[in-house]
Amino acid sequence: MVDLHTHILPGIDDGACSVEESVQMIEDYYLHHINKVVCTPHFDPSKDTIADFVKKRDTAMSQVKDCNITLISGSETQLHDYLFYYSDLSSLSIGDTGYILLELPYTAKWDKKIFDKIENLMRMYSLIPIIAHIERYNAAKKGNRNLKRLIDLGCLLQLNASSVIDAKLRRRSIKLLKRGYIDVLASDCHNRKSRPPNLWKAYEIILSKLGDSCYERLAKNSDNILDGVNLRNKVLLQTEGEA
């Protein structure tokens, strides 16, 4: 099993604060049979250069390289105009795939400029964005129009495991899963207490509420992403109605 969105690297962002905590989080994954983890520390192009970010990420990864699961480099990259100053963004992608985990603005609305920026990113750099924690954006909470626009562009949508586990957030998350909007489930873990690795708990809930097909689709999607398979050749499982 794969977790595509994590902040387990020590001391690079607001995730694991020490090597010890990072090792403990990795052990949690191993105990729950998650054997591949993508390390996606935050990258803000307005505060850091890609070269400096990659250097810090690689240093952090080297501190936990002798572990019993496979760690894969990546980033949670903030959508920003400064990204377009670079000729190549491949070092921000998930491993050697054409996928990039992309964080969008937390504004009340996404205007045309946001979608144009995403489209330009895909066209100029041959990248497929995986939109991080889609359920957290205010602009994605009012109906499903913006979700459909992202899907029509060719983006994948990622849901946080905590939104399935939390009883207050579960209803909407299950709706999004049931209607086929969600392509990827990931933990977005930051520590062992308030934001722990909890992917397996969410998968257990999905299995009990939505059955084998949804569970297997999400798990297979994560595997296929690591293999560089283009998933956005599918239609929504269910498009009628709005959440």
Side-chain angles (χ1 to χ4, degrees):
M1 192 173 288
V2 180
D3 194 348
L4 289 169
H5 183 176
T6 74
H7 298 271
I8 64 170
L9 293 182
I12 188 172
D13 60 6
D14 58 344
C17 62
S18 65
V19 172
E20 291 73 21
E21 183 174 34
S22 182
V23 169
Q24 290 171 346
M25 293 169 78
I26 290 170
E27 184 63 21
D28 290 339
Y29 279 117
Y30 179 74
L31 292 174
H32 289 89
H33 310 291
I34 294 176
N35 54 13
K36 294 180 182 178
V37 171
V38 183
C39 303
T40 54
H42 293 286
F43 174 60
D44 182 345
S46 69
K47 297 179 179 179
D48 213 352
T49 65
I50 290 180
D52 286 346
F53 167 79
V54 169
K55 183 178 180 180
K56 287 185 284 189
R57 183 190 65 193
D58 291 350
T59 298
M61 288 187 72
S62 70
Q63 293 178 299
V64 291
K65 64 180 181 180
D66 298 324
C67 65
N68 45 20
I69 65 174
T70 300
L71 300 181
I72 299 159
S73 63
S75 68
E76 182 180 1
T77 294
Q78 187 178 118
L79 183 65
H80 196 284
D81 288 338
Y82 287 179
L83 286 174
F84 297 95
Y85 292 174
Y86 295 97
S87 61
D88 181 27
L89 301 181
S90 60
S91 58
L92 300 174
S93 65
I94 294 175
D96 57 0
T97 74
Y99 287 99
I100 184 169
L101 186 67
L102 195 64
E103 185 173 36
L104 301 187
Y106 290 88
T107 51
K109 294 182 179 180
W110 290 331
D111 58 19
K112 185 177 181 296
K113 291 180 181 179
I114 296 294
F115 295 97
D116 286 346
K117 214 175 284 186
I118 295 170
E119 188 172 14
N120 288 336
L121 186 78
M122 299 174 71
R123 177 177 52 81
M124 292 173 62
Y125 300 101
S126 299
L127 292 171
I128 301 174
I130 301 173
I131 307 302
H133 43 61
I134 188 63
E135 77 281 14
R136 291 180 56 191
Y137 304 107
N138 291 327
K141 292 178 180 178
K142 299 176 181 178
N144 295 324
R145 182 176 176 230
N146 283 334
L147 303 186
K148 292 175 181 176
R149 290 182 72 180
L150 290 169
I151 291 170
D152 287 344
L153 282 178
C155 300
L156 304 185
L157 307 185
Q158 179 251 310
L159 178 74
N160 276 3
S162 57
S163 294
V164 175
I165 296 167
D166 189 325
K168 294 180 180 178
L169 303 174
R170 185 179 303 159
R171 182 178 178 183
R172 179 169 184 260
S173 298
I174 293 297
K175 276 187 177 181
L176 293 176
L177 286 162
K178 192 173 183 179
R179 293 179 177 178
Y181 287 104
I182 303 302
D183 303 285
V184 180
L185 184 71
S187 73
D188 190 12
C189 62
H190 281 63
N191 52 57
R192 295 191 79 213
K193 294 182 179 179
S194 61
R195 301 180 69 178
N198 55 7
L199 185 61
W200 51 89
K201 293 181 181 178
Y203 267 121
E204 288 174 355
I205 293 170
I206 289 170
L207 187 59
S208 67
K209 290 190 172 294
L210 298 176
D212 291 347
S213 61
C214 184
Y215 171 92
E216 291 171 0
R217 178 178 68 85
L218 293 170
K220 187 175 181 180
N221 281 353
S222 293
D223 286 331
N224 284 338
I225 286 168
L226 289 188
D227 290 337
V229 175
N230 189 337
L231 300 181
R232 190 47 78 216
N233 294 320
K234 303 176 180 179
V235 296
L236 293 181
L237 302 180
Q238 177 184 339
T239 58
E240 66 270 15
E242 294 289 325

